[in-house]
Structures are given as C-alpha cells and as structure tokens.
Amino acid sequence: MIKVTYVAHDGTETVIEAEEGTSVMQAAVSNDVDGIVGECGGSMMCATCHCYVDEAWEARTGQRSDDEDEMLEGAASEVTGRSRLSCQIKLDPSLDGLVVHLPEEQL
C-alpha cells in the first residue's frame, strides 16, 4: 500500500493508503477526502481534481501534459507551477509518502 497525505486549504491533513496503480484522485474519492471532487471520474474532462504537488515531491510526479495544462485553464482555484490534475498521477512505490495540497475550491 502507498501512503498519500492530502492537505486541505485550511491545513487539515488526511492520510490514506492506496494500492499501486490507483490515481491520487481515485484514492481520495474512495476514501471520502474532502476537496477532491473528480466529477468526470478521472477521464481528464474537468478540473475538479486539481491539486498542488508538495515541492518535495514535484520531481517524482513528473511534468503535466499539454492536455492537463488545457484542462487546468478551467480550474476554479489559482493554477501554479505545482498544479496537477490528481487523476493523472498514478501511485507507485516511488510515491509512497506523497503529499498533495488541495485548493480552496474545485467548482
């Protein structure tokens, strides 16, 4: 199992464990993490799973794709260099302990 910490806008942390191959969005939705909506179910058709990858993990999660950039244009909260769609981050052992920060709003 791979541990992920979700940090809400107010600083509240939720730590969950998920199986390898699960997306950060799927893990959040399956564990009722507030702050990740995942309206499109992970098909990269919305930006309701927007998150900010913690600086310490940024290099390990990879670059966002052009399609991800395009979807993030519709995000409800500010998009930064650390913004990602959590549906596009697949968990593997190298991401055990991953920390993501959640925006103030998704819709």
Side-chain angles (χ1 to χ4, degrees), residues 5-15 34 99-104:
T5 300
Y6 299 85
V7 182
H9 186 70
D10 67 3
T12 304
E13 294 185 4
T14 303
V15 180
D34 286 333
V99 177
V100 294
H101 300 267
L102 305 178
E104 187 171 7

Side-chain angles (χ1 to χ4, degrees), residues 50 52 64 69 72-84:
H50 178 205
Y52 306 105
R64 60 184 185 226
D69 274 333
L72 282 166
E73 289 177 14
S77 293
E78 177 186 9
V79 175
T80 72
R82 295 184 302 121
S83 289
R84 291 293 306 271

Side-chain angles (χ1 to χ4, degrees), residues 65-106:
S65 68
D66 290 340
D67 289 339
E68 214 173 329
D69 274 333
E70 188 174 319
M71 270 303 116
L72 282 166
E73 289 177 14
S77 293
E78 177 186 9
V79 175
T80 72
R82 295 184 302 121
S83 289
R84 291 293 306 271
L85 295 178
S86 60
C87 67
Q88 298 302 299
I89 304 171
K90 299 291 186 209
L91 295 173
D92 65 46
S94 73
L95 295 178
D96 188 30
L98 175 67
V99 177
V100 294
H101 300 267
L102 305 178
E104 187 171 7
E105 58 185 335
Q106 293 284 12

Side-chain angles (χ1 to χ4, degrees), residues 24-76:
V24 172
M25 182 276 299
Q26 289 169 319
V29 170
S30 295
N31 289 279
D32 298 319
V33 174
D34 286 333
I36 296 280
V37 178
E39 196 170 83
C40 72
S43 59
M44 201 166 51
M45 299 298 294
C46 70
T48 63
C49 68
H50 178 205
C51 70
Y52 306 105
V53 175
D54 191 85
E55 288 179 42
W57 292 90
E58 197 172 3
R60 291 190 224 175
T61 58
Q63 297 289 320
R64 60 184 185 226
S65 68
D66 290 340
D67 289 339
E68 214 173 329
D69 274 333
E70 188 174 319
M71 270 303 116
L72 282 166
E73 289 177 14

